[in-house]
Structure formats: structure tokens, C-alpha cells
Amino acid sequence: MIDLDLTARDKELIAEARAQALLARAHARDFEYAEDKFLPHEYPEAVGRPDVRELARRHVDETSGFKIINALLYLEDWYGGVPLREYPYSLGNTVLRIAGTPEQEARWKDQIIAIAMTEPGGGSDPASTRTTATWDAAAGEWVLNGDKIFITYAGTCDAAIVLAHAVHQDRKPGLSTFLVERGTPGFSISPQFRKMGIRHEDTAALSFVDCRLSEFHHIAGDLKKTLQSFSKSRPVVACYALGVSRAALDLAWETLAPHGILPEYDGDPLRQPAATARLMDLEADWEATYMSVLRAKWVEQNEGPGKIESSMAKALGGRLARRVTQTVVELIGPAALSEDILAEKWFRDGRIFDIYEGTGEIQRLLIARHILGYSPRDLN
Ligand SMILES: Cc1cc2nc3c(=O)[nH]c(=O)nc-3n(C[C@H](O)[C@H](O)[C@H](O)COP(=O)(O)OP(=O)(O)OC[C@H]3O[C@@H](n4cnc5c(N)ncnc54)[C@H](O)[C@@H]3O)c2cc1C
């Protein structure tokens, strides 16, 4: 039976992660006007504080499971605004694990591997991919050509896993993935994008011009299964959204408390001050999203990645962050637009969770297909 109660160890790790997130607040604005900077491996405040991921691994039997507690620790990282210690997480590493051979995994498992799917022509539909990898039979190499945009970890990754149309004389043409190491001739990375929010995340474009790769760099595993790696990552993105939303809600309660706006969990919404009722409504939304994340991660932990559970968590997370951060700015008023408090940062940061790793619209499309029993051809 599904059990979403957290263990004592989970709670202890989360409390330590929250304490570290509050220390990280000192650096929450470090990247606002310095997007070319990259996150340090750890900030000085991390020294002497335990590494919560390491503790979670060591005591995993006392947690709800690593997949669950790890996701909840990301929530805390985002509560801080920047992570006090960086835990590079990239979908490219998951794709390598799922689709790579044991030899490929052994070679690149300790590297940060960006995932490069989105192209200037569109990111929601992989079928619109224009990047090609053409087999050069004489040289026994793949030749990669194309452009990718909005790639997270572009500036700091060791390699990128790139989605491309594979064209080979002796094989059926189709979409496949290729690992391209930093420094490979023909592979270039643009300067960092200037973004509305999440400026601590490095994001840039990748370009491939006659980039030659050996067959070993072809991550040729089942593509459908490969794309299912999103089922693991989407609830984690929902955790990011929960972290930002929690931070914004806490800031709102703290700012409004001197005006008599206090949480009233048993209160009648019709008799509460309007601000209290609006915040309580958002608290309920936060709880629902949190439960959906726990459910998605519980399913993954116990039964394997659940596509629909993960889309539901992601769809709720993206919507939650937009609703919460917008309402908090409204309730705090003009002061929320000043850089003296973090409300406007949460507002800008909160927009992304409904965009990357599949937009909110795409999640709702996947959920609708599932509920209605429609195929992608029926509903697209
Ligand atoms: C900061 C940042 C980091 C990112 N990191 C990465 C990364 O690491 N790797 C990577 O590959 N990509 C990354 N992306 C790209 C991101 O995944 C895409 O932006 C996203 O998938 C949407 O693709 P698109 O921007 O091309 O929009 P489109 O696919 O062109 O969509 C435009 C709009 O139409 C809507 N839409 C599209 N199709 C449908 C449909 N069938 N039904 C209803 N509505 C639809 C979309 O929801 C969206 O609102 C990142 C983006 C950002 C902003």
C-alpha cells in the first residue's frame, strides 16, 4: 500500500537542509547581474555542515528511499535561492544510465552530461528535430550538424547528449542520441543567455558543425525508453517549484503578520481577511502539489517511473509557482518589486518550472491522452 509518511531520518535531513538553505540566502542574489559566473562547488558557509545527500545515501534504509528524500532535498535547495553545495543533476546522466552500454556508462559516469534536445525550431515536439548525424562509411564515423538552444549546464558540462536524426546507409533512419565531449572539434558553446530568472543556472546554445564522433559515442539504446527519463526528472522540477513557492509563501506570512494577517487553518474562509483566505488557498495548492510529488516519487521508488504521476506533479508544480509568486507580489504590494526583499526574485524564478522539461501545456496534453485513452495521433 502506498505510504507517504516521512521517516524520522527524512525529517532530520530535511531540517538540516532547511538550515543550510537559510545560510545560502546570503548568496541568493549573487548571479543577478553576473550571469557569466558559475556556481561554486560549495559556498564557505557549507564548511563544517554535513553533506545531506551523502548522509541520505549512508542511512538510506532509514529514509523513505533515496529517490524520495533526494527530491525533497532539492526542494530545500530552491528554498535557499541558490544551493549552498552544488549537486549537479542533469538528465543527460540519466539518459546515459538508461540507454548507454555498460562500457559507455563506465567511461562517462562521473561527468556532468547536459541533455540537448531543444532546437531553434521548437522543443515540445522531438519529431521536429533538424540536427543530423550522418554515418561516414569511409571514415567509420558519425558527422553531427545542427544547433540546440536553451541548454542547461552548457557552460559547465563535460559533455552533452544530443538528440539527432541518425542517417546510416545500412540502418533504418530515425531519432537517436549521441554523446559529444567538450573540446570535440566542431562543437561550440555560445555565451550564457541573459534570463528573466534562475540566473544561477547556466544556460547557453550549442552548435555542431561537421562534428565527428566514433560509434562508441552513439548512445543507441531504445529511444522511447530514453525519453522516459523525463518521468524521473519531472517530479524533481516540481520540487524546485515547491521550494520557490514555500519561500514566497513564508515571506508573505512574515511580511503580513504585523498587519494581523495570520494563517488560520480552521477558519471560515468567508470570515477571514481576504489576504488570509488567498494565502490559505495557496497553502492548500502547495500541499496538493507536495502530495503529488511524493506520490510520483513513491511510485518510481517502488514500481518504476510513472509517466502520468510525474506529469501530474510537474503540471501542478509549474502552475503552483506561477500562482503563488504572482499572488505574493500582489499581497505584499509595491515593496515586493524592490530588490530589498526576495519576492520579485521568486516571481522571476518561478516562471521556468512551467517551461523546461516539458511545458505545462504538454503535461496536460499527456494527462488528457491518458485519461481519455487517446493516442498522440488522436490528440496532439
Ligand atoms: C532556462 C531554460 C533551460 C532549458 N534547459 C534545457 C535543456 O537543458 N535541454 C533541452 O533540451 N531544453 C532545455 N530547455 C528548453 C525547454 O525544454 C523548451 O523551451 C520547452 O520544451 C518548450 O519548447 P520551445 O521553447 O521550443 O517551445 P514550443 O515547443 O515551440 O512551444 C511554444 C508554446 O506552444 C505550446 N505548445 C507546443 N506544442 C503544443 C501542443 N501540442 N499543444 C498545446 N500547446 C503546445 C508550448 O507549451 C509553448 O507554450 C530549457 C529552456 C529554458 C528556458
PDB file of all heavy atoms in Angstrom, residues 308-342:
ATOM      1  N   ILE A 308       2.481   9.205 -15.916  1.00  0.00           N
ATOM      2  CA  ILE A 308       1.366  10.107 -15.646  1.00  0.00           C
ATOM      3  C   ILE A 308       1.507  10.773 -14.282  1.00  0.00           C
ATOM      4  O   ILE A 308       1.294  11.985 -14.140  1.00  0.00           O
ATOM      5  CB  ILE A 308       0.028   9.345 -15.796  1.00  0.00           C
ATOM      6  CG1 ILE A 308      -0.178   9.044 -17.274  1.00  0.00           C
ATOM      7  CG2 ILE A 308      -1.147  10.137 -15.247  1.00  0.00           C
ATOM      8  CD1 ILE A 308       0.007  10.236 -18.225  1.00  0.00           C
ATOM      9  N   GLU A 309       1.929  10.007 -13.283  1.00  0.00           N
ATOM     10  CA  GLU A 309       2.131  10.592 -11.951  1.00  0.00           C
ATOM     11  C   GLU A 309       3.142  11.741 -12.050  1.00  0.00           C
ATOM     12  O   GLU A 309       2.997  12.780 -11.403  1.00  0.00           O
ATOM     13  CB  GLU A 309       2.656   9.540 -10.967  1.00  0.00           C
ATOM     14  CG  GLU A 309       1.656   8.470 -10.571  1.00  0.00           C
ATOM     15  CD  GLU A 309       1.524   7.356 -11.592  1.00  0.00           C
ATOM     16  OE1 GLU A 309       2.174   7.424 -12.658  1.00  0.00           O
ATOM     17  OE2 GLU A 309       0.757   6.417 -11.329  1.00  0.00           O
ATOM     18  N   SER A 310       4.184  11.509 -12.860  1.00  0.00           N
ATOM     19  CA  SER A 310       5.225  12.523 -12.929  1.00  0.00           C
ATOM     20  C   SER A 310       4.727  13.744 -13.712  1.00  0.00           C
ATOM     21  O   SER A 310       5.027  14.882 -13.355  1.00  0.00           O
ATOM     22  CB  SER A 310       6.498  11.914 -13.486  1.00  0.00           C
ATOM     23  OG  SER A 310       6.683  12.223 -14.787  1.00  0.00           O
ATOM     24  N   SER A 311       3.940  13.538 -14.754  1.00  0.00           N
ATOM     25  CA  SER A 311       3.371  14.689 -15.480  1.00  0.00           C
ATOM     26  C   SER A 311       2.420  15.473 -14.595  1.00  0.00           C
ATOM     27  O   SER A 311       2.361  16.707 -14.656  1.00  0.00           O
ATOM     28  CB  SER A 311       2.600  14.224 -16.724  1.00  0.00           C
ATOM     29  OG  SER A 311       3.500  13.901 -17.742  1.00  0.00           O
ATOM     30  N   MET A 312       1.657  14.758 -13.766  1.00  0.00           N
ATOM     31  CA  MET A 312       0.721  15.459 -12.871  1.00  0.00           C
ATOM     32  C   MET A 312       1.495  16.338 -11.884  1.00  0.00           C
ATOM     33  O   MET A 312       1.137  17.500 -11.656  1.00  0.00           O
ATOM     34  CB  MET A 312      -0.138  14.448 -12.105  1.00  0.00           C
ATOM     35  CG  MET A 312      -1.201  13.810 -12.973  1.00  0.00           C
ATOM     36  SD  MET A 312      -2.111  12.573 -12.035  1.00  0.00           S
ATOM     37  CE  MET A 312      -3.362  12.102 -13.223  1.00  0.00           C
ATOM     38  N   ALA A 313       2.553  15.776 -11.302  1.00  0.00           N
ATOM     39  CA  ALA A 313       3.352  16.551 -10.341  1.00  0.00           C
ATOM     40  C   ALA A 313       3.949  17.778 -11.021  1.00  0.00           C
ATOM     41  O   ALA A 313       3.899  18.893 -10.488  1.00  0.00           O
ATOM     42  CB  ALA A 313       4.453  15.663  -9.752  1.00  0.00           C
ATOM     43  N   LYS A 314       4.480  17.582 -12.225  1.00  0.00           N
ATOM     44  CA  LYS A 314       5.122  18.694 -12.950  1.00  0.00           C
ATOM     45  C   LYS A 314       4.099  19.772 -13.318  1.00  0.00           C
ATOM     46  O   LYS A 314       4.357  20.969 -13.180  1.00  0.00           O
ATOM     47  CB  LYS A 314       5.803  18.122 -14.201  1.00  0.00           C
ATOM     48  CG  LYS A 314       6.336  19.118 -15.204  1.00  0.00           C
ATOM     49  CD  LYS A 314       7.667  19.677 -14.794  1.00  0.00           C
ATOM     50  CE  LYS A 314       8.372  20.450 -15.893  1.00  0.00           C
ATOM     51  NZ  LYS A 314       7.625  21.546 -16.481  1.00  0.00           N
ATOM     52  N   ALA A 315       2.925  19.333 -13.798  1.00  0.00           N
ATOM     53  CA  ALA A 315       1.885  20.301 -14.185  1.00  0.00           C
ATOM     54  C   ALA A 315       1.439  21.111 -12.964  1.00  0.00           C
ATOM     55  O   ALA A 315       1.290  22.335 -13.035  1.00  0.00           O
ATOM     56  CB  ALA A 315       0.696  19.582 -14.809  1.00  0.00           C
ATOM     57  N   LEU A 316       1.247  20.432 -11.843  1.00  0.00           N
ATOM     58  CA  LEU A 316       0.825  21.148 -10.630  1.00  0.00           C
ATOM     59  C   LEU A 316       1.930  22.081 -10.141  1.00  0.00           C
ATOM     60  O   LEU A 316       1.667  23.208  -9.727  1.00  0.00           O
ATOM     61  CB  LEU A 316       0.465  20.142  -9.525  1.00  0.00           C
ATOM     62  CG  LEU A 316      -0.867  19.401  -9.702  1.00  0.00           C
ATOM     63  CD1 LEU A 316      -1.028  18.323  -8.633  1.00  0.00           C
ATOM     64  CD2 LEU A 316      -2.036  20.375  -9.639  1.00  0.00           C
ATOM     65  N   GLY A 317       3.173  21.605 -10.191  1.00  0.00           N
ATOM     66  CA  GLY A 317       4.310  22.407  -9.716  1.00  0.00           C
ATOM     67  C   GLY A 317       4.455  23.697 -10.514  1.00  0.00           C
ATOM     68  O   GLY A 317       4.622  24.779  -9.950  1.00  0.00           O
ATOM     69  N   GLY A 318       4.401  23.585 -11.838  1.00  0.00           N
ATOM     70  CA  GLY A 318       4.552  24.758 -12.704  1.00  0.00           C
ATOM     71  C   GLY A 318       3.465  25.782 -12.435  1.00  0.00           C
ATOM     72  O   GLY A 318       3.725  26.986 -12.323  1.00  0.00           O
ATOM     73  N   ARG A 319       2.231  25.292 -12.306  1.00  0.00           N
ATOM     74  CA  ARG A 319       1.110  26.198 -12.055  1.00  0.00           C
ATOM     75  C   ARG A 319       1.224  26.832 -10.664  1.00  0.00           C
ATOM     76  O   ARG A 319       1.000  28.022 -10.476  1.00  0.00           O
ATOM     77  CB  ARG A 319      -0.203  25.426 -12.187  1.00  0.00           C
ATOM     78  CG  ARG A 319      -1.420  26.325 -12.235  1.00  0.00           C
ATOM     79  CD  ARG A 319      -2.704  25.549 -12.072  1.00  0.00           C
ATOM     80  NE  ARG A 319      -2.802  24.923 -10.765  1.00  0.00           N
ATOM     81  CZ  ARG A 319      -3.940  24.503 -10.219  1.00  0.00           C
ATOM     82  NH1 ARG A 319      -5.057  24.622 -10.886  1.00  0.00           N
ATOM     83  NH2 ARG A 319      -3.961  23.939  -9.037  1.00  0.00           N
ATOM     84  N   LEU A 320       1.601  25.998  -9.689  1.00  0.00           N
ATOM     85  CA  LEU A 320       1.716  26.481  -8.305  1.00  0.00           C
ATOM     86  C   LEU A 320       2.692  27.660  -8.217  1.00  0.00           C
ATOM     87  O   LEU A 320       2.379  28.705  -7.635  1.00  0.00           O
ATOM     88  CB  LEU A 320       2.211  25.354  -7.396  1.00  0.00           C
ATOM     89  CG  LEU A 320       2.470  25.766  -5.951  1.00  0.00           C
ATOM     90  CD1 LEU A 320       1.159  25.821  -5.176  1.00  0.00           C
ATOM     91  CD2 LEU A 320       3.447  24.813  -5.258  1.00  0.00           C
ATOM     92  N   ALA A 321       3.885  27.485  -8.789  1.00  0.00           N
ATOM     93  CA  ALA A 321       4.905  28.534  -8.653  1.00  0.00           C
ATOM     94  C   ALA A 321       4.422  29.833  -9.285  1.00  0.00           C
ATOM     95  O   ALA A 321       4.665  30.922  -8.751  1.00  0.00           O
ATOM     96  CB  ALA A 321       6.214  28.075  -9.285  1.00  0.00           C
ATOM     97  N   ARG A 322       3.723  29.729 -10.418  1.00  0.00           N
ATOM     98  CA  ARG A 322       3.221  30.956 -11.045  1.00  0.00           C
ATOM     99  C   ARG A 322       2.156  31.616 -10.178  1.00  0.00           C
ATOM    100  O   ARG A 322       2.181  32.807  -9.935  1.00  0.00           O
ATOM    101  CB  ARG A 322       2.653  30.649 -12.442  1.00  0.00           C
ATOM    102  CG  ARG A 322       3.749  30.393 -13.457  1.00  0.00           C
ATOM    103  CD  ARG A 322       3.244  30.400 -14.870  1.00  0.00           C
ATOM    104  NE  ARG A 322       2.455  29.234 -15.194  1.00  0.00           N
ATOM    105  CZ  ARG A 322       1.159  29.245 -15.463  1.00  0.00           C
ATOM    106  NH1 ARG A 322       0.493  30.394 -15.462  1.00  0.00           N
ATOM    107  NH2 ARG A 322       0.526  28.133 -15.769  1.00  0.00           N
ATOM    108  N   ARG A 323       1.201  30.812  -9.684  1.00  0.00           N
ATOM    109  CA  ARG A 323       0.106  31.365  -8.850  1.00  0.00           C
ATOM    110  C   ARG A 323       0.655  31.983  -7.574  1.00  0.00           C
ATOM    111  O   ARG A 323       0.298  33.090  -7.199  1.00  0.00           O
ATOM    112  CB  ARG A 323      -0.853  30.227  -8.434  1.00  0.00           C
ATOM    113  CG  ARG A 323      -1.897  29.866  -9.428  1.00  0.00           C
ATOM    114  CD  ARG A 323      -2.945  28.962  -8.759  1.00  0.00           C
ATOM    115  NE  ARG A 323      -3.911  29.697  -7.974  1.00  0.00           N
ATOM    116  CZ  ARG A 323      -4.571  29.199  -6.917  1.00  0.00           C
ATOM    117  NH1 ARG A 323      -4.340  27.965  -6.513  1.00  0.00           N
ATOM    118  NH2 ARG A 323      -5.443  29.930  -6.273  1.00  0.00           N
ATOM    119  N   VAL A 324       1.511  31.210  -6.889  1.00  0.00           N
ATOM    120  CA  VAL A 324       1.997  31.675  -5.582  1.00  0.00           C
ATOM    121  C   VAL A 324       2.811  32.953  -5.732  1.00  0.00           C
ATOM    122  O   VAL A 324       2.562  33.949  -5.037  1.00  0.00           O
ATOM    123  CB  VAL A 324       2.842  30.575  -4.887  1.00  0.00           C
ATOM    124  CG1 VAL A 324       3.620  31.160  -3.713  1.00  0.00           C
ATOM    125  CG2 VAL A 324       1.966  29.430  -4.422  1.00  0.00           C
ATOM    126  N   THR A 325       3.775  32.940  -6.646  1.00  0.00           N
ATOM    127  CA  THR A 325       4.680  34.098  -6.704  1.00  0.00           C
ATOM    128  C   THR A 325       3.939  35.353  -7.188  1.00  0.00           C
ATOM    129  O   THR A 325       4.203  36.456  -6.721  1.00  0.00           O
ATOM    130  CB  THR A 325       5.912  33.805  -7.576  1.00  0.00           C
ATOM    131  OG1 THR A 325       5.477  33.412  -8.883  1.00  0.00           O
ATOM    132  CG2 THR A 325       6.768  32.699  -6.992  1.00  0.00           C
ATOM    133  N   GLN A 326       2.983  35.172  -8.086  1.00  0.00           N
ATOM    134  CA  GLN A 326       2.168  36.312  -8.556  1.00  0.00           C
ATOM    135  C   GLN A 326       1.349  36.876  -7.387  1.00  0.00           C
ATOM    136  O   GLN A 326       1.315  38.082  -7.154  1.00  0.00           O
ATOM    137  CB  GLN A 326       1.241  35.815  -9.674  1.00  0.00           C
ATOM    138  CG  GLN A 326       0.127  36.759 -10.075  1.00  0.00           C
ATOM    139  CD  GLN A 326       0.568  37.754 -11.131  1.00  0.00           C
ATOM    140  OE1 GLN A 326       1.433  37.460 -11.955  1.00  0.00           O
ATOM    141  NE2 GLN A 326       0.000  38.938 -11.089  1.00  0.00           N
ATOM    142  N   THR A 327       0.689  36.001  -6.639  1.00  0.00           N
ATOM    143  CA  THR A 327      -0.186  36.461  -5.550  1.00  0.00           C
ATOM    144  C   THR A 327       0.633  37.115  -4.437  1.00  0.00           C
ATOM    145  O   THR A 327       0.217  38.126  -3.857  1.00  0.00           O
ATOM    146  CB  THR A 327      -1.001  35.275  -4.985  1.00  0.00           C
ATOM    147  OG1 THR A 327      -1.629  34.622  -6.076  1.00  0.00           O
ATOM    148  CG2 THR A 327      -2.041  35.715  -3.990  1.00  0.00           C
ATOM    149  N   VAL A 328       1.801  36.534  -4.150  1.00  0.00           N
ATOM    150  CA  VAL A 328       2.626  37.097  -3.076  1.00  0.00           C
ATOM    151  C   VAL A 328       3.067  38.520  -3.448  1.00  0.00           C
ATOM    152  O   VAL A 328       3.035  39.433  -2.612  1.00  0.00           O
ATOM    153  CB  VAL A 328       3.820  36.158  -2.770  1.00  0.00           C
ATOM    154  CG1 VAL A 328       4.871  36.852  -1.933  1.00  0.00           C
ATOM    155  CG2 VAL A 328       3.310  34.900  -2.070  1.00  0.00           C
ATOM    156  N   VAL A 329       3.435  38.728  -4.690  1.00  0.00           N
ATOM    157  CA  VAL A 329       3.814  40.086  -5.121  1.00  0.00           C
ATOM    158  C   VAL A 329       2.613  41.021  -4.955  1.00  0.00           C
ATOM    159  O   VAL A 329       2.735  42.138  -4.443  1.00  0.00           O
ATOM    160  CB  VAL A 329       4.336  40.077  -6.584  1.00  0.00           C
ATOM    161  CG1 VAL A 329       4.393  41.487  -7.156  1.00  0.00           C
ATOM    162  CG2 VAL A 329       5.719  39.435  -6.656  1.00  0.00           C
ATOM    163  N   GLU A 330       1.434  40.558  -5.342  1.00  0.00           N
ATOM    164  CA  GLU A 330       0.237  41.409  -5.215  1.00  0.00           C
ATOM    165  C   GLU A 330      -0.038  41.755  -3.755  1.00  0.00           C
ATOM    166  O   GLU A 330      -0.339  42.893  -3.416  1.00  0.00           O
ATOM    167  CB  GLU A 330      -0.985  40.679  -5.773  1.00  0.00           C
ATOM    168  CG  GLU A 330      -1.065  40.689  -7.291  1.00  0.00           C
ATOM    169  CD  GLU A 330      -2.142  39.752  -7.802  1.00  0.00           C
ATOM    170  OE1 GLU A 330      -3.105  39.434  -7.057  1.00  0.00           O
ATOM    171  OE2 GLU A 330      -1.986  39.314  -8.951  1.00  0.00           O
ATOM    172  N   LEU A 331       0.048  40.755  -2.877  1.00  0.00           N
ATOM    173  CA  LEU A 331      -0.327  40.977  -1.476  1.00  0.00           C
ATOM    174  C   LEU A 331       0.687  41.844  -0.739  1.00  0.00           C
ATOM    175  O   LEU A 331       0.319  42.655   0.109  1.00  0.00           O
ATOM    176  CB  LEU A 331      -0.513  39.638  -0.747  1.00  0.00           C
ATOM    177  CG  LEU A 331      -1.730  38.817  -1.190  1.00  0.00           C
ATOM    178  CD1 LEU A 331      -1.778  37.488  -0.447  1.00  0.00           C
ATOM    179  CD2 LEU A 331      -3.024  39.592  -0.953  1.00  0.00           C
ATOM    180  N   ILE A 332       1.957  41.659  -1.054  1.00  0.00           N
ATOM    181  CA  ILE A 332       2.968  42.480  -0.363  1.00  0.00           C
ATOM    182  C   ILE A 332       2.905  43.911  -0.895  1.00  0.00           C
ATOM    183  O   ILE A 332       3.165  44.865  -0.170  1.00  0.00           O
ATOM    184  CB  ILE A 332       4.381  41.852  -0.505  1.00  0.00           C
ATOM    185  CG1 ILE A 332       4.438  40.533   0.279  1.00  0.00           C
ATOM    186  CG2 ILE A 332       5.455  42.809  -0.011  1.00  0.00           C
ATOM    187  CD1 ILE A 332       5.769  39.803   0.215  1.00  0.00           C
ATOM    188  N   GLY A 333       2.564  44.051  -2.152  1.00  0.00           N
ATOM    189  CA  GLY A 333       2.422  45.394  -2.716  1.00  0.00           C
ATOM    190  C   GLY A 333       3.717  45.909  -3.314  1.00  0.00           C
ATOM    191  O   GLY A 333       4.627  45.112  -3.599  1.00  0.00           O
ATOM    192  N   PRO A 334       3.834  47.234  -3.504  1.00  0.00           N
ATOM    193  CA  PRO A 334       4.991  47.795  -4.223  1.00  0.00           C
ATOM    194  C   PRO A 334       6.331  47.353  -3.634  1.00  0.00           C
ATOM    195  O   PRO A 334       7.301  47.183  -4.375  1.00  0.00           O
ATOM    196  CB  PRO A 334       4.808  49.303  -4.085  1.00  0.00           C
ATOM    197  CG  PRO A 334       3.353  49.492  -3.823  1.00  0.00           C
ATOM    198  CD  PRO A 334       2.874  48.268  -3.103  1.00  0.00           C
ATOM    199  N   ALA A 335       6.403  47.131  -2.317  1.00  0.00           N
ATOM    200  CA  ALA A 335       7.687  46.728  -1.713  1.00  0.00           C
ATOM    201  C   ALA A 335       8.189  45.423  -2.323  1.00  0.00           C
ATOM    202  O   ALA A 335       9.400  45.158  -2.347  1.00  0.00           O
ATOM    203  CB  ALA A 335       7.526  46.574  -0.207  1.00  0.00           C
ATOM    204  N   ALA A 336       7.260  44.627  -2.842  1.00  0.00           N
ATOM    205  CA  ALA A 336       7.651  43.332  -3.414  1.00  0.00           C
ATOM    206  C   ALA A 336       8.465  43.506  -4.686  1.00  0.00           C
ATOM    207  O   ALA A 336       9.145  42.579  -5.128  1.00  0.00           O
ATOM    208  CB  ALA A 336       6.406  42.503  -3.718  1.00  0.00           C
ATOM    209  N   LEU A 337       8.386  44.691  -5.291  1.00  0.00           N
ATOM    210  CA  LEU A 337       9.138  44.912  -6.533  1.00  0.00           C
ATOM    211  C   LEU A 337      10.541  45.438  -6.259  1.00  0.00           C
ATOM    212  O   LEU A 337      11.349  45.586  -7.176  1.00  0.00           O
ATOM    213  CB  LEU A 337       8.374  45.873  -7.443  1.00  0.00           C
ATOM    214  CG  LEU A 337       6.978  45.378  -7.830  1.00  0.00           C
ATOM    215  CD1 LEU A 337       6.287  46.379  -8.737  1.00  0.00           C
ATOM    216  CD2 LEU A 337       7.047  44.022  -8.520  1.00  0.00           C
ATOM    217  N   SER A 338      10.833  45.710  -5.002  1.00  0.00           N
ATOM    218  CA  SER A 338      12.168  46.196  -4.670  1.00  0.00           C
ATOM    219  C   SER A 338      13.127  45.024  -4.507  1.00  0.00           C
ATOM    220  O   SER A 338      12.715  43.918  -4.129  1.00  0.00           O
ATOM    221  CB  SER A 338      12.081  47.024  -3.376  1.00  0.00           C
ATOM    222  OG  SER A 338      12.996  46.553  -2.428  1.00  0.00           O
ATOM    223  N   GLU A 339      14.395  45.302  -4.767  1.00  0.00           N
ATOM    224  CA  GLU A 339      15.388  44.235  -4.611  1.00  0.00           C
ATOM    225  C   GLU A 339      15.799  44.053  -3.150  1.00  0.00           C
ATOM    226  O   GLU A 339      16.673  43.253  -2.838  1.00  0.00           O
ATOM    227  CB  GLU A 339      16.608  44.503  -5.498  1.00  0.00           C
ATOM    228  CG  GLU A 339      16.278  44.349  -6.969  1.00  0.00           C
ATOM    229  CD  GLU A 339      17.478  44.445  -7.885  1.00  0.00           C
ATOM    230  OE1 GLU A 339      18.610  44.640  -7.399  1.00  0.00           O
ATOM    231  OE2 GLU A 339      17.276  44.336  -9.110  1.00  0.00           O
ATOM    232  N   ASP A 340      15.146  44.803  -2.246  1.00  0.00           N
ATOM    233  CA  ASP A 340      15.464  44.652  -0.825  1.00  0.00           C
ATOM    234  C   ASP A 340      14.920  43.337  -0.278  1.00  0.00           C
ATOM    235  O   ASP A 340      15.400  42.835   0.732  1.00  0.00           O
ATOM    236  CB  ASP A 340      14.863  45.808  -0.007  1.00  0.00           C
ATOM    237  CG  ASP A 340      15.536  47.122  -0.359  1.00  0.00           C
ATOM    238  OD1 ASP A 340      16.637  47.080  -0.929  1.00  0.00           O
ATOM    239  OD2 ASP A 340      14.935  48.185  -0.084  1.00  0.00           O
ATOM    240  N   ILE A 341      13.866  42.834  -0.898  1.00  0.00           N
ATOM    241  CA  ILE A 341      13.337  41.534  -0.463  1.00  0.00           C
ATOM    242  C   ILE A 341      13.299  40.604  -1.676  1.00  0.00           C
ATOM    243  O   ILE A 341      13.422  41.049  -2.820  1.00  0.00           O
ATOM    244  CB  ILE A 341      11.950  41.647   0.219  1.00  0.00           C
ATOM    245  CG1 ILE A 341      10.916  42.244  -0.732  1.00  0.00           C
ATOM    246  CG2 ILE A 341      12.027  42.428   1.518  1.00  0.00           C
ATOM    247  CD1 ILE A 341       9.492  42.191  -0.171  1.00  0.00           C
ATOM    248  N   LEU A 342      13.096  39.327  -1.386  1.00  0.00           N
ATOM    249  CA  LEU A 342      13.265  38.350  -2.469  1.00  0.00           C
ATOM    250  C   LEU A 342      11.982  38.067  -3.267  1.00  0.00           C
ATOM    251  O   LEU A 342      12.003  37.252  -4.176  1.00  0.00           O
ATOM    252  CB  LEU A 342      13.826  37.036  -1.905  1.00  0.00           C
ATOM    253  CG  LEU A 342      15.297  37.114  -1.471  1.00  0.00           C
ATOM    254  CD1 LEU A 342      15.690  35.905  -0.628  1.00  0.00           C
ATOM    255  CD2 LEU A 342      16.224  37.214  -2.688  1.00  0.00           C
TER     256      LEU A 342
END
